[in-house]
Amino acid sequence: MDFEALKKYSALHPKPAGLTLQYGTAGFRTQAEQLDHVMFRMGLLAVLRSKAVASTIGIMVTASHNPEEDNGVKLVDPLGEMLHPSWEEYATQLANAEEQELQQIITEICQKAAVNQHKDASVFIGRDTRPSSEKLSQSVIDGISVLGGQYHDYGLVTTPQLHYMVCCQNTRGQYGKATLEGYYEKLSKAFTELIKRSPSSGESRRHLKIDCANGIGALKLSEMEPYFPKEVLIHLYNDGTKEKLNHLCGADFVKVHQKPPRGLDMKPNERCCSFDGDADRIVYYYKDETGHFHLVDGDKIATLISIFLKELLAKVGQTLKMAVVQTAYANGSSTRYLEETLKVPVHCVKTGVKHLHHKAQEFDVGVYFEANGHGTVLFSKAAETKIRQLAKEERDDEKREAAKVLENMIDLINQTVGDAVSDMLVIEAILALKGLTVQQWDALYTDLPNRLLKVQVADRRVIDTTDAERRAVTPPGLQEKIDTLVKKYKLSRAFVRPSGTEDVVRIYAEADTQENADALAHEVSLAVYHLAGGKGTPPQP
């Protein structure tokens, strides 16, 4: 390793004094001007990771749904999954190291992680449309080059597209071709096959309005449009030509504010959806005849997909185990509907995509979505092999037909990570095949009214949780207090959890009416304020 060159190049990407960052679920995220040194060092880390696993690693420059002034970076592991937890630790150490410690920390990582110095390294890079992304991805390239790594710069791509490329590369093309054309062809072919089978195929055109959050989603959807079957007409809004990224638009805005994005004109009962800034989340919504806004969130997406897959699995007659994975934020009505009406097992895990993904891998078919619209479906190797075999060889017409539909679903779903483009096509195909309107889909169950609040505290670490963050272990007395408050309201539950990034405690409450959900959330926030070291004035109702 050429430590002289490292020293020289590292000086060109100096670390601002006193800045410490933490690699979390979303990688590193902060204001763009503070990230130059981090990008350079993540280039270094990607080379080490690539040598350690003898595979191509991905680096995505994006801050997803954050404001345009921010940026961020996340690493992608060989099968398109998130970076291994032990390497998140190394990423944090490397990002926060002082200039003179870099050499030592790199040497330590190489020893701890058994990095083979003689292996070649290969890194795929992608970036979103932020003004700062191009320059920051150049810093990543500096880091890769100084350690002698090879790289392929895909330029502007959605986050899920980069995950997809990395997976294709490391499965030697088994998952698909590691090009944008390969991605568009694989998804559109599967989608076209599914749409052909829909009852109204060829008659009516399906219209969908899409809010692209003024981000990368608009660019990539326009590239993909020529691949779509003619029945499908997409109308793009907030395409990034006029307004700022994520400003008053995008999936996160719509979900948090429960209202339509700016710049999208909705007529009653029109199907609309929003992507987030890097196109890995999607939510649907519509306005009814009275002008009332209805959000169809990640929980309802998971439910729609589960209904569809469960019917198909029953038709192929295989004993494949299916389950849905949720977090504590999933609406209680969705959990009840899945377990009691659909009879599908539901598992609850800690907040964070990596926990959901990991749990979903335990089943033949694992569906996971966060309420915010990030999610996908995983098929086990055995299930996929079985389904593809039945689609080819099954004698019984109905069974073979069901297996073919399942096979196309497997090809349409991006199994590496939540993907707004892929999820949108899955949803559109299911609605067409089942002949459902967005209102009928929304009416599967009624969400329990809920309220999210946050309380500022001196130190978020005073709160420790268990049971997938649904119960507080510390501070003493808090959980007992919450239990007492919950008993006052019908169909109610509440939980508190520390934020992963700032000194605030997040509170979630739901109950039979909005009034009761609000009251419960407020009472719980007061309990947190008094028992967990609240800062400033007590929460006001």
Side-chain angles (χ1 to χ4, degrees), residues 170-468:
N170 290 314
T171 55
R172 301 199 164 56
Q174 251 182 305
Y175 193 66
K177 284 212 292 272
T179 62
L180 277 173
E181 291 70 39
Y183 172 92
Y184 297 143
E185 277 163 10
K186 179 179 172 181
L187 268 64
S188 58
K189 181 171 175 278
F191 179 65
T192 305
E193 283 298 316
L194 288 165
I195 285 283
K196 270 202 320 224
R197 293 175 157 80
S198 80
S200 60
S201 171
E203 293 164 36
S204 59
R205 308 193 84 174
R206 301 183 59 81
H207 290 266
L208 175 66
K209 290 185 167 177
I210 308 167
D211 152 36
C212 299
N214 290 310
I216 185 74
L219 275 179
K220 299 296 130 179
L221 276 175
S222 356
E223 285 176 12
M224 192 174 184
E225 216 173 342
Y227 294 85
F228 288 158
K230 60 181 184 311
E231 290 97 324
V232 178
L233 277 180
I234 58 170
H235 308 275
L236 307 184
Y237 296 83
N238 297 323
D239 63 1
T241 51
K242 295 191 266 304
E243 292 283 343
K244 276 173 73 166
L245 177 72
N246 296 326
H247 181 59
L248 302 178
C249 62
D252 202 56
F253 173 85
V254 173
K255 168 83 179 136
V256 171
H257 296 279
Q258 304 271 329
K259 63 179 189 189
R262 191 162 108 180
L264 188 146
D265 136 63
M266 289 167 77
K267 297 190 177 60
N269 299 331
E270 278 185 332
R271 239 182 13 269
C272 304
C273 67
S274 283
F275 288 11
D276 73 334
D278 64 339
D280 64 358
R281 293 183 186 185
I282 183 171
V283 294
Y284 270 70
Y285 44 91
Y286 66 98
K287 265 187 183 157
D288 61 24
E289 299 292 354
T290 65
H292 184 72
F293 176 82
H294 294 256
L295 176 73
V296 186
D297 65 2
D299 298 336
K300 279 226 167 104
I301 294 173
T303 305
L304 178 74
I305 294 173
S306 302
I307 291 172
F308 187 68
L309 293 178
K310 190 176 181 206
E311 285 171 3
L312 289 170
L313 290 169
K315 278 184 190 158
V316 297
Q318 292 295 310
T319 50
L320 295 172
K321 271 180 62 179
M322 173 169 139
V324 176
V325 187
Q326 296 183 324
T327 70
Y329 287 110
N331 196 281
S333 293
S334 73
T335 315
R336 206 165 289 132
Y337 179 87
L338 286 162
E339 289 182 329
E340 294 169 18
T341 309
L342 256 194
K343 305 268 186 279
V344 169
V346 177
H347 297 266
C348 186
V349 297
K350 276 164 54 169
T351 305
V353 178
K354 58 184 172 192
H355 303 297
L356 290 139
H357 194 89
H358 191 71
K359 185 71 184 174
Q361 288 173 321
E362 293 176 20
F363 310 98
D364 291 313
V365 182
V367 180
Y368 76 82
F369 270 85
E370 290 186 295
N372 65 26
H374 186 288
T376 187
V377 185
L378 305 183
F379 294 85
S380 70
K381 264 284 153 258
E384 185 174 330
T385 308
K386 189 81 214 153
I387 288 163
R388 292 199 192 274
Q389 183 195 349
L390 290 169
K392 250 212 291 294
E393 298 165 11
E394 175 57 57
R395 294 263 163 77
D396 178 283
D397 286 354
E398 195 192 11
K399 279 187 183 174
R400 189 180 61 250
E401 191 53 32
K404 278 186 178 163
V405 173
L406 276 171
E407 182 174 39
N408 284 310
M409 283 309 264
I410 292 172
D411 289 334
L412 185 52
I413 290 163
N414 184 346
Q415 293 185 57
T416 64
V417 70
D419 181 340
V421 175
S422 158
D423 289 337
M424 173 190 88
L425 295 174
V426 167
I427 292 161
E428 289 302 307
I430 296 174
L431 293 176
L433 285 162
K434 291 187 69 66
L436 288 173
T437 64
V438 66
Q439 299 84 326
Q440 289 167 315
W441 170 23
D442 185 34
L444 287 171
Y445 61 82
T446 306
D447 274 331
L448 283 169
N450 55 82
R451 176 65 61 212
L452 281 160
L453 293 176
K454 53 185 182 184
V455 176
Q456 295 230 310
V457 290
D459 181 2
R460 65 179 184 269
R461 289 170 302 191
V462 299
I463 294 213
D464 194 20
T465 63
T466 184
D467 186 25

